[in-house]
Amino acid sequence: MSHPDTDAFALRCKFESDGGESPESTGQLVDETFRFAPIPILVEDWSGIRQWVDDRKAEGVTDLDAYLDEHPTAIQQLRDRHHHFVDANDAALKLFDATSRETFFAAAKALLPASRPSNSKVLKAIFDGETACQGERTLTSLTGGKIPIVWRCSLPADPARYARLHFYAFDISEYQENINRLQVMRADVARAGRIALVGQLAASITHEISQPLSATRTSIEAAARWLDREGPDVMEAMASVRDAGRWARDATDICHRLRGFMMHTPVQARLQS
């Protein structure tokens, strides 16, 4: 039977004889890779929560969402009893505007409180035996800033590895700002389109209405001239008045058709006499 110290010494000798780094150096490299990674990473202890999920499955729970609906305080109790923050890299501290790890961990529970939408995603993924999960959440930094993020974590098969569960956060503030700007631009384009449509509609209405109105005026003026003569011609004046009435009806019909168009009612044809 081999001894752990002997195995460790042999492994160290192998690294050194191969010209590689010792396990201690490799561990330091891994630590530096985590510490200086450009992506915010939080290491959390979910081992107790994993055990809780396994216990619920052993009890015969088949629908975790229904269970959480029946026990609305379950997530808060899990966070209080079984959840711990283990580590955070420099990018995570920067994300929360924390000047040190001590400052961050002192406020971590307030900065990342229990959240049914976010925490239940992880619980459901563990319950279903998935290998990863992700979601969206808006964080609040120590200086009060709002940070929209997409988070993701891998879920190991070994329950023991839940003692160091890694959560990766992706700041989507710039993406969200671009989305907001795009929505404003779309609203401006839509408004400009409506204004252009109103202008075209007004021009069309003016064109359609002006012709019968002008003809009505011309007919009325003609009737007045026929009556103003030294020998008034009543028959011609009456004919002009009838023409004016016909043109006025045409203008009324145009208004009715426009109203029907606006109200989406069918346009009815009318025989012209």
Side-chain angles (χ1 to χ4, degrees):
M1 180 178 178
S2 61
H3 193 277
D5 293 340
T6 305
D7 292 342
F9 177 75
L11 181 60
R12 188 182 303 110
C13 290
K14 183 179 184 302
F15 269 87
E16 292 174 353
S17 63
D18 291 343
E21 297 176 337
S22 66
E24 290 85 352
S25 299
T26 304
Q28 182 179 1
L29 177 61
V30 171
D31 182 73
E32 290 181 353
T33 301
F34 163 76
R35 192 69 61 204
F36 303 120
I39 300 173
I41 307 173
L42 282 177
V43 181
E44 304 177 15
D45 184 353
W46 281 62
S47 56
I49 297 177
R50 168 60 194 266
Q51 183 61 53
W52 179 89
V53 172
D54 291 342
D55 291 344
R56 299 293 80 73
K57 294 175 72 173
E59 291 173 359
V61 175
T62 57
D63 188 338
L64 186 62
D65 287 329
Y67 180 89
L68 293 176
D69 289 337
E70 295 172 3
H71 302 81
T73 61
I75 290 180
Q76 185 62 60
Q77 291 174 356
L78 283 173
R79 294 276 294 191
D80 292 341
R81 299 174 185 174
H82 303 296
H83 176 269
H84 306 283
F85 292 99
V86 178
D87 204 352
N89 70 346
D90 291 349
L93 301 181
K94 183 178 180 181
L95 182 69
F96 286 97
D97 294 329
T99 55
S100 66
R101 281 174 181 74
E102 292 74 19
T103 302
F104 169 73
F105 285 118
K109 287 190 177 294
L111 294 172
L112 291 163
S115 166
R116 168 71 188 265
S118 184
N119 296 150
S120 63
K121 285 182 178 292
V122 186
L123 291 174
K124 187 72 164 53
I126 298 172
F127 189 87
D128 294 339
E130 298 178 7
T131 58
C133 63
Q134 68 178 33
E136 295 184 14
R137 187 171 183 174
T138 299
L139 306 176
T140 302
S141 70
L142 284 167
T143 56
K146 298 296 182 181
I147 314 153
I149 66 162
V150 171
W151 58 264
R152 183 176 177 83
C153 75
S154 297
L155 301 174
D158 182 4
R161 294 181 59 190
Y162 276 78
R164 292 184 63 86
L165 207 59
H166 287 63
F167 286 83
Y168 301 86
F170 302 90
D171 186 351
I172 59 171
S173 299
E174 185 175 351
Y175 169 79
Q176 195 65 51
E177 290 171 0
N178 290 336
I179 291 294
N180 293 339
R181 282 195 290 267
L182 181 59
Q183 291 176 345
V184 171
M185 290 175 62
R186 285 177 175 171
D188 290 342
V189 170
R191 179 173 175 273
R194 289 194 297 269
I195 292 174
L197 178 62
V198 169
Q200 294 173 0
L201 186 60
S204 177
I205 292 173
T206 301
H207 173 74
E208 294 291 333
I209 294 293
S210 62
Q211 183 177 356
L213 289 181
S214 297
T216 300
R217 177 182 175 182
T218 300
S219 297
I220 294 296
E221 290 175 347
R225 286 195 299 271
W226 284 115
L227 294 174
D228 245 359
R229 299 175 66 175
E230 291 183 2
D233 193 330
V234 177
M235 296 300 293
E236 290 290 346
M238 288 297 295
S240 295
V241 170
R242 282 193 291 271
D243 288 341
R246 180 170 59 83
W247 286 113
R249 285 195 300 274
D250 287 347
T252 301
D253 289 343
I254 290 172
C255 291
H256 287 163
R257 288 198 297 271
L258 287 171
R259 184 181 301 164
F261 172 75
M262 295 296 185
M263 304 274 301
H264 300 288
T265 56
V267 177
Q268 297 180 352
R270 184 178 68 85
L271 294 176
Q272 296 284 346
S273 58

